[in-house]
Amino acid sequence: MISIKGLSKIFNTDAHNQVTAVDNITLTINEGDIFGFIGYSGAGKSTFVRLLNRLEEPTGGQITINNQEISSLKTKGLRLARQEIGMIFQHFNLLWSRTVKENITFPLEISGVPKTERDDRVQELINLVGLAGKENAYPSQLSGGQKQRVGIARALANKPKVLLCDEATSALDPETTNSILDLLVDINNKLGLTIILITHEMHVIRKICNRVAVMESGKIVEQGNVLDVFLKPKQEVTRKFVEQVMGSNEEEEDLQQLIQSYKHGTIIRLHFVGETTNQALISQVAKKFNVDINILQGKITQTQAGAYGSLFVQMDGDQTEIKQAIQYIEKETSVELEVVQHVN
């Protein structure tokens, strides 16, 4: 779907200094992916996404989308190619003197779509993004989430195959962020759209992306399926991002102190990966075996590929029952189990 080879962008700050914002990036993005790019401020991720539709001109490299090399297109060809690449922005970039309907209509007017066809398409998009009844409202009359929904509808007007999202939820509160992310997943499912999402927030990656690339100093330092990156982050910057949703080393130290305070029973760590998290494991074990189970601490997070996380529990009761319960979990489920502490 999207092939990127040796993509670079160098800015000349003055006669003698240069800044390499994007440094020799090569990767492939599959059709239908929700592919996230995450990095701290200055990592080069926003420059990277603007290179994909040539809002920034590459210094070097190739960008191929749907077998068309974007990086070599001239003015007319680039204008046509951009119709298949929608983009939404952090601060919405709406036309404040135009209504919701007029904002969404604008790219269709530029493309020369007949009025009747425009009207049908705009109403279809308004319904898709959940803005029915707001057709004649102006941006100043809308909430942040509603403004972003207008931006999404406008980006979809020309039926693009790719949607670029540059920090699209950074200006929104957490609840509104989740609703916009849910909308993007819905659009991806209904339209088969390939979505490229730029963010500095790991929970955004966790919630909707199936693949992720971590950027630092203009380079991709780590990439892969989201669940794999959560399970085995290789770079320090990646580990810091994973801690945003899974907890820090300080929290781990607090947990160890809590575990040490228990003077009886067996302390067990249950590690969930993928669909196993959705099983009612604690309930099943409590029903099958004569043991008391006390949940001490845990954090489980959902990704598009399934759930991931750990749960620490205390099992108390007859030692034979506890042993049988442990054997059941190890042999009959795919949950990984580790006995952390055993106190008679």
Side-chain angles (χ1 to χ4, degrees):
M1 173 61 180
I2 301 175
S3 174
I4 299 163
K5 296 180 181 178
L7 186 63
S8 298
K9 177 63 180 182
I10 299 172
F11 290 101
N12 295 309
T13 55
D14 56 44
H16 303 288
N17 293 304
Q18 294 181 327
V19 173
T20 302
V22 174
D23 191 356
N24 195 33
I25 287 178
T26 296
L27 82 161
T28 300
I29 298 172
N30 298 322
E31 185 174 0
D33 270 350
I34 304 182
F35 200 122
F37 289 80
I38 189 167
Y40 290 112
S41 179
K45 56 191 187 298
S46 288
T47 301
F48 167 75
V49 78
R50 291 169 65 86
L51 290 171
L52 297 184
N53 60 1
R54 284 179 57 190
L55 288 178
E56 291 285 355
E57 287 296 325
T59 304
Q62 292 182 340
I63 305 160
T64 303
I65 301 177
N66 281 342
N67 299 316
Q68 185 173 41
E69 190 184 330
I70 302 297
S71 44
S72 65
L73 292 175
K74 304 303 180 185
T75 304
K76 183 178 179 181
L78 179 60
R79 186 170 63 249
L80 292 174
R82 279 177 173 162
Q83 292 181 10
E84 295 194 342
I85 309 171
M87 188 166 187
I88 56 176
F89 304 87
Q90 178 179 358
H91 297 295
F92 320 125
N93 287 14
L94 302 181
L95 299 170
W96 293 88
S97 62
R98 289 189 173 221
T99 64
V100 167
K101 182 177 180 179
E102 289 167 344
N103 264 281
I104 301 170
T105 301
F106 186 61
L108 296 171
E109 292 175 348
I110 294 174
S111 300
V113 176
K115 186 177 186 308
T116 302
E117 188 178 336
R118 287 201 309 260
D119 291 344
D120 290 343
R121 177 63 177 159
V122 170
Q123 192 58 53
E124 176 187 344
L125 290 166
I126 286 172
N127 293 336
L128 177 66
V129 301
L131 287 176
K134 295 289 185 181
E135 291 87 344
N136 297 317
Y138 288 89
S140 61
Q141 299 171 307
L142 302 176
S143 68
Q146 289 170 333
K147 291 172 188 172
Q148 194 56 284
R149 287 172 185 268
V150 177
I152 292 170
R154 182 185 58 187
L156 298 176
N158 281 309
K159 300 182 179 180
K161 293 182 173 62
V162 177
L163 180 63
L164 309 178
C165 307
D166 187 7
E167 298 280 9
T169 60
S170 295
L172 306 175
D173 62 75
E175 184 176 350
T176 306
T177 291
N178 285 332
S179 70
I180 293 298
L181 295 177
D182 288 341
L183 175 60
L184 290 175
V185 172
D186 186 50
I187 288 169
N188 172 259
N189 290 332
K190 287 180 177 176
L191 306 181
L193 203 62
T194 303
I195 297 176
I196 298 173
L197 189 146
I198 303 299
T199 185
H200 63 274
E201 298 169 305
M202 195 62 172
H203 79 272
V204 172
I205 300 292
R206 182 266 303 172
K207 186 173 177 64
I208 72 167
C209 296
N210 62 300
R211 294 179 66 204
V212 61
V214 182
M215 290 190 68
E216 188 175 32
S217 301
K219 296 178 179 290
I220 291 177
V221 296
E222 190 164 352
Q223 64 172 298
N225 294 328
V226 170
L227 191 55
D228 292 339
V229 171
F230 265 78
L231 284 169
K232 298 177 181 177
K234 296 180 178 64
Q235 303 295 324
E236 179 62 25
V237 64
T238 310
R239 286 191 285 271
K240 288 180 179 179
F241 280 122
V242 172
E243 284 178 4
Q244 289 183 2
V245 290
M246 294 308 300
S248 64
N249 290 332
E250 290 180 0
E251 291 174 320
E252 183 70 21
E253 291 172 4
D254 292 341
L255 172 63
Q256 293 305 318
Q257 291 179 2
L258 174 65
I259 289 172
Q260 291 170 11
S261 70
Y262 279 83
K263 304 303 180 185
H264 60 90
T266 301
I267 309 299
I268 296 168
R269 176 182 183 267
L270 303 172
H271 185 53
F272 297 86
V273 180
E275 73 285 349
T276 54
T277 307
N278 298 321
Q279 298 175 5
L281 179 64
I282 302 300
S283 174
Q284 290 175 6
V285 173
K287 289 176 181 177
K288 282 180 174 289
F289 305 96
N290 186 25
V291 293
D292 294 323
I293 302 178
N294 179 30
I295 297 175
L296 304 181
Q297 193 181 79
K299 192 160 190 179
I300 296 172
T301 189
Q302 292 288 335
T303 75
Q304 283 295 300
Y308 159 68
S310 293
L311 197 64
F312 288 85
V313 301
Q314 177 205 32
M315 278 192 192
D316 212 354
D318 181 80
Q319 290 303 309
T320 301
E321 290 287 322
I322 292 175
K323 184 177 180 180
Q324 289 175 348
I326 290 173
Q327 289 175 344
Y328 168 77
I329 294 171
E330 290 177 330
K331 294 179 179 180
E332 301 298 328
T333 78
S334 56
V335 176
E336 297 176 13
L337 181 147
E338 175 191 358
V339 175
V340 178
Q341 178 176 295
H342 177 72
V343 183
N344 291 325

